[in-house]
Amino acid sequence: MVTLFQMWVVPLYFTAKLHWWRFLVIWVLFSAVTAFVTFRATRKPLVQTTPRLVYKWFLLIYKISYATGIVGYMAVMFTLFGLNLLFRIKPEDAMDFGVSLLFYGLYYGVLERDFAEMCADYMASTVGFYSASGMPTKHLSDSVCAVCGQPIFVDVNEEGIIENTYRLSCNHVFHEFCIRGWCIVGKKQTCPYCKEKVDLKRMFSNPWERPHVMYGQLLDWLRYLVAWQPVIIGLVQGINYILGLE
């Protein structure tokens, strides 16, 4: 929670100080919608449509940040190799464009995953089939999804008109959309009911989906780098000041 607060507030201070209005506008829009979604996720009793709303919103931000980060990275690489000259774009303009997109993608990707993890914990504990520590408060029926608490209408491996399902290695069955949201968006790698570790390689058998797992791990690493770097720099400068060092 401390890291999330730092990630959310620290860039706001610097961008307001430097008058980066574009970032401020996007930050306000993202914060407003995320605050509404988080408010819905923390209400008791939980509305039936809330889990889908939460996962759809954060999955949308996840995909946008993923695409934005890739485009920004490609723009930076093209500039380093001089390919921007083919389009008669100045190197400084091309680099600014690439770095800006890369920053937006990674920053909002990190924020989205942290907010999504918090909302996933609240919703799952409210439904009653999951608790961060200890046993579930309710028994899980074979016809109920432990992530959203709603009935499962189709069998495993059966193509469903309403909803497809997925069975984990622990034999617990969930809505496919719910369990993917739980693992990708909510950053959970355990079964929502029995806490057995989820085999992500088995879940994402399609090789085109596996980069999402690596991208999520990259965002987790960047979170601590961005959030705690100002604190580390401040401590070093404070020590230098106390010791009278240049």
Side-chain angles (χ1 to χ4, degrees), residues 5 40 77 143 222 237:
F5 181 77
R40 290 281 301 272
M77 296 305 298
S143 60
L222 285 175
Q237 290 180 343

Side-chain angles (χ1 to χ4, degrees), residues 59-71:
L59 183 61
L60 174 64
I61 298 300
Y62 179 86
K63 290 181 177 179
I64 292 176
S65 70
Y66 183 71
T68 304
I70 289 178
V71 173

Side-chain angles (χ1 to χ4, degrees), residues 27-129:
W27 185 91
V28 169
L29 292 176
F30 170 84
S31 298
V33 179
T34 301
F36 170 75
V37 172
T38 304
F39 175 80
R40 290 281 301 272
T42 55
R43 297 305 93 193
K44 295 182 179 181
L46 191 68
V47 181
Q48 294 183 357
T49 58
T50 297
R52 297 301 177 90
L53 171 67
V54 172
Y55 287 130
K56 284 181 179 179
W57 166 246
F58 288 120
L59 183 61
L60 174 64
I61 298 300
Y62 179 86
K63 290 181 177 179
I64 292 176
S65 70
Y66 183 71
T68 304
I70 289 178
V71 173
Y73 176 77
M74 292 178 62
V76 171
M77 296 305 298
F78 283 174
T79 305
L80 293 177
F81 285 106
L83 298 179
N84 59 292
L85 300 177
L86 297 176
F87 304 96
R88 297 182 180 180
I89 303 176
K90 295 180 180 180
E92 55 270 21
D93 293 338
M95 185 61 72
D96 288 344
F97 175 77
V99 171
S100 296
L101 287 184
L102 192 59
F103 169 76
Y104 277 105
L106 295 177
Y107 174 72
Y108 287 104
V110 171
L111 273 187
E112 162 270 325
R113 280 176 63 81
D114 283 357
F115 273 111
E117 182 182 17
M118 180 179 65
C119 291
D121 284 337
Y122 271 107
M123 292 188 301
S125 61
T126 302
V127 172
F129 297 114

Side-chain angles (χ1 to χ4, degrees), residues 169-184:
S169 57
C170 56
N171 288 326
H172 291 127
V173 182
F174 307 92
H175 294 128
E176 185 176 11
F177 179 83
C178 292
I179 195 61
R180 284 175 178 267
W182 173 264
C183 293
I184 297 180

